[in-house]
Amino acid sequence: MSAPVAGVIDLVREDLRAFGGYRSARSERVDGQVWLNANESPWANPADADATARRYPDPQPADLRAALAALYGCRPEQLLAGRGSDEGIDLLVRALCTPGQGAIVVTTPTFGMYAVVARVQAARVVDVPLDDGADGFTCDFDAVAEAAERAQARLVFLCSPGNPSGTALPLPRIAALARRLAGRAVVVVDEAYGEYASGPSAVTLLDAHDNIAVLRTLSKAHALAAARVGAVIAHAELIAVLQRCQAPYPLPQPCVALAMQALSPPSLATTRERIVTTIMERDALRVALSATPGVRRAYPSQANFVLARFDDAQAAWDALLASGVVIRDFRATPRLGDALRITIGTPEQNALVLETLRGVREAAA
């Protein structure tokens, strides 16, 4: 008789499985008229017009959690709201990787915070680079699985769509990877740019795979980068552990209020329209870049940016900066020594980028 496959809770650090965490004053579900339980000031700050800022916020506002769950297609108990996607990355690494012993797998080029958080936790970072082929960057899922097994990694981070690759990973391959690593590792799918992708979310895989976690954020398509509101979506047991590891008051009330306004039907309708425009501009920019002298390659993208390689990346960088356009320099990244990443702007901003880059070759002629 074969041994039962471990559940996702068995992947959590043993010392944290029953960890109670810090119970703040707002964690106690009690009601009253005179609140004297949190050592708050009884008087509002003169700058606080509606006299609400003196109170600590709800650690996990039920209305925000429900709105985000509806947006992403999960149940509220499967979702933890936090400070952007970054806090979700940090919580997952701290909860699953024992300091000095744990390991994670990443697929470079990718979002740098996975490795940063792992190193702070003294966890090893195992890299399985993406393949750079004719159709853009692709992931070798078999190599990722083998690396995770060899390193006994507890976390595999997949950025989809990738940053800076722009590649969206196929859900059947993600599901197969989760199946292979069941009881061994959690497969984390970072969908910060998911609104710009054409396929379904990895959230659709959660009910079949308890070792998948999905990261989402309101920073990109929803234009709330300064509010710092994101979510981890995963098995309810894992979410409960992550919440116990979270800081007592992660979500400032003004940010919650702003997020709730952004999740209202009128705001969501406007956001959807802008996503469509961004996708059209992205595809047009990529085609135009591919035909621009001096651009060696413009990669296909399912995100809100285009990664491009240049004959003279320094000249392109200098020209754009002289035009007042700031883009992202990836030349210090291994295998991207000639690459720059261009975020999709307004149609007028994108036209300025193209005009400037076309002028680089003319100036050199």
Side-chain angles (χ1 to χ4, degrees):
M1 183 175 179
S2 60
V5 175
V8 70
I9 199 67
D10 297 306
L11 299 177
V12 173
R13 286 168 43 187
E14 188 173 358
D15 58 316
L16 293 182
R17 291 173 197 169
F19 177 57
Y22 174 73
R23 292 194 61 80
S24 68
R26 290 294 173 267
S27 300
E28 304 298 333
R29 296 300 174 187
V30 294
D31 200 7
Q33 289 74 47
V34 180
W35 290 82
L36 303 176
N37 66 333
N39 301 335
E40 301 153 328
S41 170
W43 300 283
N45 187 287
D48 181 16
D50 58 4
T52 58
R54 68 190 177 95
R55 298 296 188 191
Y56 285 109
D58 187 333
Q60 287 292 303
D63 54 353
L64 176 63
R65 211 171 179 185
L68 289 172
L71 178 67
Y72 297 134
C74 66
R75 298 183 294 278
E77 64 270 20
Q78 293 177 304
L79 183 144
L80 181 72
R83 291 165 288 190
S85 301
D86 298 329
E87 185 178 29
I89 296 166
D90 182 62
L91 289 171
L92 285 162
V93 173
R94 284 195 285 125
L96 275 74
C97 292
T98 302
Q101 299 177 26
I104 72 167
V105 174
V106 300
T107 58
T108 59
T110 193
F111 186 40
M113 279 303 295
Y114 313 138
V116 168
V117 172
R119 285 172 179 140
V120 170
Q121 186 73 353
R124 284 183 297 132
V125 177
V126 179
D127 184 16
V128 182
L130 297 174
D131 295 325
D132 186 2
D135 297 325
F137 287 95
T138 57
C139 178
D140 186 337
F141 283 90
D142 290 334
V144 168
E146 291 164 7
E149 290 167 346
R150 283 196 306 270
Q152 297 184 326
R154 287 294 176 92
L155 291 163
V156 174
F157 283 97
L158 301 176
C159 197
S160 179
N163 176 17
S165 69
T167 300
L169 302 176
L171 288 193
R173 298 303 306 272
I174 293 173
L177 178 65
R179 247 188 329 270
R180 177 167 171 175
L181 297 179
R184 302 182 187 187
V186 172
V187 178
V188 183
V189 186
D190 187 344
E191 294 184 343
Y193 303 94
E195 289 86 351
Y196 303 106
S198 58
S201 166
V203 170
T204 59
L205 303 176
L206 291 184
D207 287 342
H209 305 279
D210 72 352
N211 64 325
I212 288 179
V214 180
L215 299 173
R216 298 301 296 253
T217 181
L218 299 184
S219 294
K220 309 297 183 183
H222 295 270
L224 291 182
R228 309 305 300 128
V229 178
V232 184
I233 306 166
H235 191 279
E237 280 189 296
L238 179 56
I239 291 297
V241 170
L242 298 181
Q243 186 173 356
R244 295 196 294 268
C245 295
Q246 194 176 34
Y249 304 108
L251 298 166
Q253 182 55 40
C255 296
V256 172
L258 184 58
M260 289 303 298
Q261 292 176 36
L263 296 172
S264 68
S267 292
L268 286 175
T270 300
T271 295
R272 283 192 288 269
E273 292 173 2
R274 290 173 176 171
I275 290 170
V276 171
T277 300
T278 299
I279 291 172
M280 292 174 60
E281 286 290 313
R282 176 197 70 201
D283 294 344
L285 180 65
R286 190 223 168 192
V287 170
L289 283 171
S290 298
T292 299
V295 177
R296 186 174 299 150
R297 184 177 187 187
Y299 285 88
S301 175
Q302 290 278 297
N304 69 332
F305 55 80
V306 173
L307 182 72
R309 294 185 184 271
F310 293 81
D311 291 336
D312 189 343
Q314 186 63 51
W317 171 270
D318 291 341
L320 286 168
L321 202 55
S323 296
V325 179
V326 182
I327 60 173
R328 190 66 181 267
D329 189 350
F330 272 87
R331 287 176 291 167
T333 302
R335 300 187 299 143
L336 293 179
D338 56 356
L340 305 173
R341 190 193 69 194
I342 304 169
T343 301
I344 305 306
T346 65
E348 296 76 17
Q349 292 168 343
N350 301 330
L352 175 59
V353 167
L354 289 171
E355 179 185 355
T356 302
L357 292 176
R358 287 165 182 153
V360 172
R361 179 54 64 92
E362 292 171 5

